[in-house]
Amino acid sequence: MTVHDIRQKFTTIKEQVEKRVFDSYLLEFIETPKIDEEKLLVLVSLLESLELSFNQIQYYTLSTMLIQIALDTHEYISSETIDEKKRQLTVLAGDYFSGLYYQILAEAEDINMIKSLSAGVKEVNEHKILVYQTDLDGIESLMSGIRKIESSLLSKVADYFKVELWDDFLGDLLLFKRLLIERNEYFQSGCSILFQSLNKLLFTEAKLEDLTKEKQQRLIQTCDEYIERLKQAVEKQLPNLNDFLAKRVTALLGQYQP
């Protein structure tokens, strides 16, 4: 498989996702849905390694990405302050994307994949509740929860096709990316879900905005230690990836500046 082949498949499927979620009417009322290109490329690469037909790769990837976008759309509601009308429309948009996912797999008559991805959705939502709304019992529990939120859907696809060797890579890469996003958000705005949780675990009485510079540095250092560990784990997997994915992952890893 050449770089050109995988890039062409990735581009074609990305265009199919965009065609379904960039609805001109919806975009008048909601924020433009975000397509996680790393997750999309990993999915295409995983399925490509199984020597499936392009049609099979396309509908499995397309359906998984639609349910991922639905989850991300619903999460946007809980993380942003928006007016009630926009909130309701965004909820409906997320439900609409979920409906598209069911339609694609139903047309393919793949009930087992629907069950598998539904289990992934349940797992994602359970860990969102754990991370966002309940008391965690430690930093490892926090990181494990975020890892599940980011990788559960893709892991269910890997499990469905019995290619568990991808699980560790999926978890490490997607947790790395999420921590990097949270870290950048904290630097830019002084707040992020991850840093709020870390603050709650490390400095139980302090508000995030009231921390001393020393305590702020402690939060950053804790985050960086996990990012460094994940970066090293992902780098070990690079030789096992196709060239296009390896270059994309290397570029992502390069975004981290200690």
Side-chain angles (χ1 to χ4, degrees):
M1 179 182 59
T2 66
V3 172
H4 176 73
D5 289 337
I6 194 72
R7 180 186 286 117
Q8 187 174 40
K9 289 175 181 177
F10 166 78
T11 302
T12 300
I13 296 173
K14 181 171 177 264
E15 289 172 352
Q16 291 297 315
V17 176
E18 291 173 343
K19 187 182 296 184
R20 285 165 172 79
V21 300
F22 292 170
D23 182 277
S24 58
Y25 178 75
L26 284 176
L27 294 181
E28 292 182 21
F29 303 101
I30 68 169
E31 295 294 323
T32 303
K34 293 180 181 179
I35 299 172
D36 191 318
E37 294 190 2
E38 278 73 32
K39 288 181 180 177
L40 175 57
L41 179 54
V42 168
L43 271 172
V44 174
S45 299
L46 185 159
L47 295 169
E48 176 72 32
S49 69
L50 301 173
E51 298 183 355
L52 300 175
S53 71
F54 179 66
N55 281 341
Q56 289 175 306
I57 294 172
Q58 184 168 247
Y59 79 72
Y60 283 127
T61 305
L62 185 57
S63 56
T64 305
M65 288 307 299
L66 285 171
I67 197 63
Q68 180 68 65
I69 292 168
L71 287 168
D72 294 343
T73 301
H74 285 149
E75 184 169 357
Y76 166 80
I77 301 167
S78 61
S79 63
E80 298 288 338
T81 303
I82 55 179
D83 63 63
E84 187 58 29
K85 180 180 179 182
K86 189 172 184 180
R87 178 183 299 275
Q88 292 174 354
L89 290 169
T90 305
V91 169
L92 291 174
D95 293 343
Y96 170 67
F97 300 146
S98 296
L100 292 177
Y101 134 78
Y102 283 113
Q103 180 184 21
I104 290 170
L105 287 180
E107 288 174 353
E109 298 182 348
D110 199 331
I111 304 303
N112 289 329
M113 179 57 91
I114 291 178
K115 291 179 180 178
S116 185
L117 288 177
S118 295
V121 171
K122 179 175 180 288
E123 196 169 274
V124 169
N125 287 328
E126 286 174 349
H127 283 88
K128 282 183 179 179
I129 293 171
L130 174 69
V131 170
Y132 299 163
Q133 298 180 19
T134 63
D135 292 329
L136 296 159
D137 57 12
I139 296 176
E140 286 296 332
S141 178
L142 169 64
M143 294 299 176
S144 176
I146 296 175
R147 184 188 188 98
K148 289 290 186 181
I149 290 169
E150 293 300 317
S151 65
S152 284
L153 277 185
L154 273 66
S155 291
K156 290 300 180 185
V157 176
D159 293 344
Y160 180 79
F161 288 105
K162 296 180 172 56
V163 283
E164 289 85 355
L165 290 174
W166 281 79
D167 275 353
D168 287 341
F169 170 71
L170 288 171
D172 292 338
L173 175 67
L174 298 178
L175 179 56
F176 171 89
K177 181 179 177 181
R178 176 62 182 268
L179 296 188
L180 189 62
I181 291 171
E182 295 283 340
R183 184 180 188 268
N184 291 338
E185 186 176 335
Y186 178 67
F187 284 153
Q188 292 171 9
S189 68
C191 187
S192 87
I193 291 171
L194 170 68
F195 279 79
Q196 286 174 342
S197 296
L198 285 176
N199 177 48
K200 190 175 182 181
L201 291 167
L202 293 173
F203 314 117
T204 54
E205 296 180 1
K207 293 182 179 180
L208 194 58
E209 59 269 23
D210 296 333
L211 293 181
T212 63
K213 288 185 178 180
E214 289 76 14
K215 289 184 176 180
Q216 290 176 20
Q217 190 60 40
R218 172 90 181 276
L219 294 182
I220 295 168
Q221 182 180 358
T222 301
C223 179
D224 283 1
E225 287 172 356
Y226 278 89
I227 290 178
E228 289 279 8
R229 193 185 311 167
L230 292 162
K231 182 179 180 182
Q232 292 174 18
V234 172
E235 286 174 335
K236 291 178 181 178
Q237 296 295 323
L238 289 176
N240 301 323
L241 309 179
N242 65 67
D243 289 345
F244 186 43
L245 178 57
K247 288 178 181 177
R248 187 69 177 247
V249 170
T250 300
L252 178 62
L253 296 178
Q255 293 178 23
Y256 169 60
Q257 299 297 325

